[in-house]
Amino acid sequence: MSRWDAYMRQALDLAVSPDAPRGENPRVGCVLVDATGTVVGAGYHRGAGTPHAEVVALEAAHGRTLGATAVVTLEPCRHVGRTGPCTEALISAGISRVVFAQPDPTALAGGGAANLADAGIEVIGGVCADDALEVNRAWTHVQVTGRPLVTLKCAMSLDGRVAGPGGEPIAITGPAARALSHRLRSEVDAIAVGTGTALVDDPHLTARDAEGRPVARQPLRVIVGEREIPSSLHVLDDAAASLHLRTRSPREVVEALRDRGVHHLLIEGGPTLATAFLEAGLVDEVMWFIAPRLLGSGPISLARLTHPVPVVVSAVESIGDDVLIRGRIRP
């Protein structure tokens, strides 16, 4: 643990403020610390086109910046976009030290640390880096891979069934697991199902709170497949934005969603779509709910895979009466 950890955790708390952006822009927080260890300014980025966290913190310091340390969750940018480069703002303010958590992975904005060092500013990187990476996990994934982070979620019985005997939708998991699933929906940028699931289940695919009320932030609802679907389906109502991608190619899906600014895609079903994404190597992590019940018949969670897909388990949790296995797909 370094002397800057506590200040960095303050900056991380700012980065995840309720009105901080999700999706297109990273969430960034910054605190300014004077020579006595007093925080003299703090701020966070509120979205595309608004001042970056460093600039907000500098303005909040009201001139008390000479010789101060800037503690920021993401390496300060060096490029001119809708706003000016943060490196120049820090240099002009007389900052003597910059402590950051996560390096900027983009070719355009990355390299700010070197610019600051060239200006004679002490630079310390990697403080609470894992925590910062978690804050911007999906954004970082897109910058590194060029496609959205893909989470595959499944809810099945002990015997691997995901629907009733005739394929009809039934409640498999309990209230706690369903509440967690709705919270996950509210955190992602898009949620996808195949046309088969859309036609058979007629899901809303909206995120709701514990009382069943729609939450403010809704994911883009994506239907994947070449079949036509009637406009009367719930997934096409005005509760949230919807998109029908008339393709069977997972690669075309992630490319189309990337171009729409989607950074985190949740795959909810059904087995055909889930299998297609696994076969294409486009699933990054899984959330697998297992309910303590045996159905005896009905469709199973996946279609046939041509090869095993190894999963590195990160957590096994009890969610009410159900079990959740979290894991990442091993490259």
Side-chain angles (χ1 to χ4, degrees), residues 1-264:
M1 180 178 293
S2 77
R3 59 179 288 205
W4 304 109
D5 281 29
Y7 297 111
M8 186 63 75
R9 299 203 180 281
Q10 292 182 44
L12 287 166
D13 287 342
L14 288 168
V16 296
S17 297
D19 57 342
R22 290 181 183 268
E24 181 183 355
N25 283 54
R27 292 180 287 176
V28 184
C30 176
V31 297
L32 301 178
V33 185
D34 69 11
T36 69
T38 301
V39 174
V40 296
Y44 61 95
H45 180 50
R46 296 174 183 268
T50 65
H52 288 188
E54 298 93 322
V55 174
V56 176
L58 290 171
E59 292 175 349
H62 300 295
R64 295 172 294 172
T65 59
L66 186 63
T69 295
V71 180
V72 60
T73 59
L74 181 67
E75 178 185 10
C77 68
R78 61 177 176 84
H79 80 294
V80 177
R82 299 186 197 182
T83 59
C86 293
T87 51
E88 293 302 320
L90 294 168
I91 293 168
S92 298
I95 295 296
S96 65
R97 181 187 297 109
V98 171
V99 179
F100 70 90
Q102 177 188 352
D104 192 314
T106 65
L108 184 62
N115 286 18
L116 293 167
D118 289 344
I121 294 175
E122 180 185 0
V123 179
I124 302 172
V127 175
C128 301
D130 289 344
D131 296 312
L133 281 166
E134 185 62 27
V135 167
N136 287 311
R137 186 167 56 105
W139 175 83
T140 303
H141 186 277
V142 174
Q143 311 312 315
V144 173
T145 68
R147 65 166 179 83
L149 176 74
V150 177
T151 299
L152 172 59
K153 183 180 78 68
C154 177
M156 70 178 194
S157 63
L158 283 175
D159 53 344
R161 311 293 175 173
V162 294
E168 70 276 7
I170 59 172
I172 292 178
T173 54
R178 291 196 293 273
L180 177 59
S181 295
H182 278 283
R183 187 161 72 249
L184 176 61
R185 286 183 179 183
S186 72
E187 294 171 352
V188 301
D189 303 311
I191 176 173
V193 297
T195 52
T197 297
L199 289 166
V200 174
D201 292 4
D202 192 16
H204 290 81
L205 296 186
T206 51
R208 299 184 291 278
D209 63 17
E211 284 72 43
R213 298 169 300 196
V215 300
R217 186 179 187 274
Q218 293 290 338
L220 172 67
R221 301 175 296 179
V222 182
I223 308 94
V224 179
E226 297 174 345
R227 278 189 287 181
E228 290 297 325
I229 56 175
S231 59
S232 58
L233 291 182
H234 289 126
V235 73
L236 297 178
D237 63 21
D238 59 1
S242 301
L243 174 66
H244 184 185
L245 293 174
R246 291 171 170 81
T247 178
R248 295 180 180 178
S249 166
R251 179 67 60 183
E252 290 180 3
V253 171
V254 296
E255 289 176 354
L257 295 179
R258 176 202 60 203
D259 292 344
R260 288 175 174 265
V262 169
H263 284 184
H264 194 174

